[in-house]
Amino acid sequence: MNLIRTAISEVVIVEPKVFGDSRGFFFESYQAERYADAGIAARFVQDNISRSARGVLRGLHIQSPRPQGKLVTVLRGAVLDVAVDVRVGSPTYGQHVAVELNDRNRRQLWVPRGFAHGFVVLSDEADFFYKCDDYYAPSNEHVIQWNDPALGIDWMGARPELSQRDRDGRPLQALADILPRFEGA
């Protein structure tokens, strides 16, 4: 397993070791001790899978209180995956990391608690897998406007298809009173 640190140190790209030959491939998508040794010591309690068509954008979602950390990967297809630091008081507040995850590179992205998460589908379809370290709590979920100019996210020219909930997202600044606080050094 190879770890790639991003511009926001808490957000980590994980490249699992993939074994492949003419029959197909195998890789370990998660192993608690190995991930803990790498600094991802989350206790995962819920797994989710979604399927989305090209151009579907899901996000930017955050739970507060009761934020979730997410280890995400694409099982089939390709997405641009985005993590935004929304921890009020963080030195990287409002900054984001954007990474292409697809079924060829097999990369995973660790999106820690206190980060909003979203993705847009780049392929005809994508199957997306989330390991979450807390349970989904609909009453705690908030949606940040996917195209908030303050965030400056380049969605690779996407004209996204959005759910009503995601269309109704609010600018980051409008949610500042309910977002998690930075507790770092």
Side-chain angles (χ1 to χ4, degrees):
M1 169 169 80
N2 182 38
L3 296 180
I4 300 170
R5 296 289 169 185
T6 67
I8 302 175
S9 62
E10 297 95 334
V11 178
V12 180
I13 299 167
V14 179
E15 292 180 328
K17 187 169 178 124
V18 179
F19 302 92
D21 59 26
S22 62
R23 300 168 300 152
F25 69 90
F26 169 86
F27 73 94
E28 216 171 57
S29 65
Y30 178 73
Q31 201 269 10
E33 288 179 358
R34 195 168 295 118
Y35 279 67
D37 289 347
I40 301 171
R43 183 182 144 273
F44 294 108
V45 298
Q46 181 174 329
D47 289 350
N48 305 315
I49 298 175
S50 68
R51 174 172 288 160
S52 304
R54 180 184 299 276
V56 168
L57 191 150
R58 296 184 185 271
L60 297 161
H61 301 153
I62 180 74
Q63 281 190 188
S64 183
R66 282 189 68 186
Q68 291 177 305
K70 299 174 183 174
L71 181 64
V72 299
T73 192
V74 169
L75 302 175
R76 183 174 62 97
V79 306
L80 178 69
D81 198 68
V82 176
V84 181
D85 186 352
V86 297
R87 300 168 300 165
V88 175
S90 166
T92 55
Y93 176 76
Q95 295 178 28
H96 69 277
V97 170
V99 178
E100 183 173 338
L101 305 177
N102 61 56
D103 59 13
R104 292 172 312 286
N105 67 26
R106 301 283 176 209
R107 285 179 161 182
Q108 299 172 313
L109 188 67
W110 169 240
V111 181
R113 291 178 177 208
F115 285 73
H117 176 254
F119 66 89
V120 65
V121 178
L122 306 174
S123 54
D124 288 339
E125 277 189 332
D127 291 346
F128 196 85
F129 182 77
Y130 316 64
K131 288 188 87 52
C132 302
D133 72 354
D134 200 354
Y135 299 102
Y136 176 60
S139 63
N140 290 320
E141 186 170 54
H142 306 282
V143 180
I144 298 168
Q145 183 180 15
W146 69 276
N147 60 352
D148 182 346
L151 302 178
I153 299 170
D154 177 1
W155 291 101
M156 299 179 69
R159 288 187 220 168
E161 183 177 333
L162 301 162
S163 68
Q164 186 61 52
R165 179 178 64 146
D166 290 343
R167 275 195 296 277
D168 293 340
R170 298 170 56 202
L172 178 63
Q173 235 9 62
L175 297 170
D177 289 345
I178 59 172
L179 292 173
R181 302 295 182 244
F182 178 66
E183 297 177 11

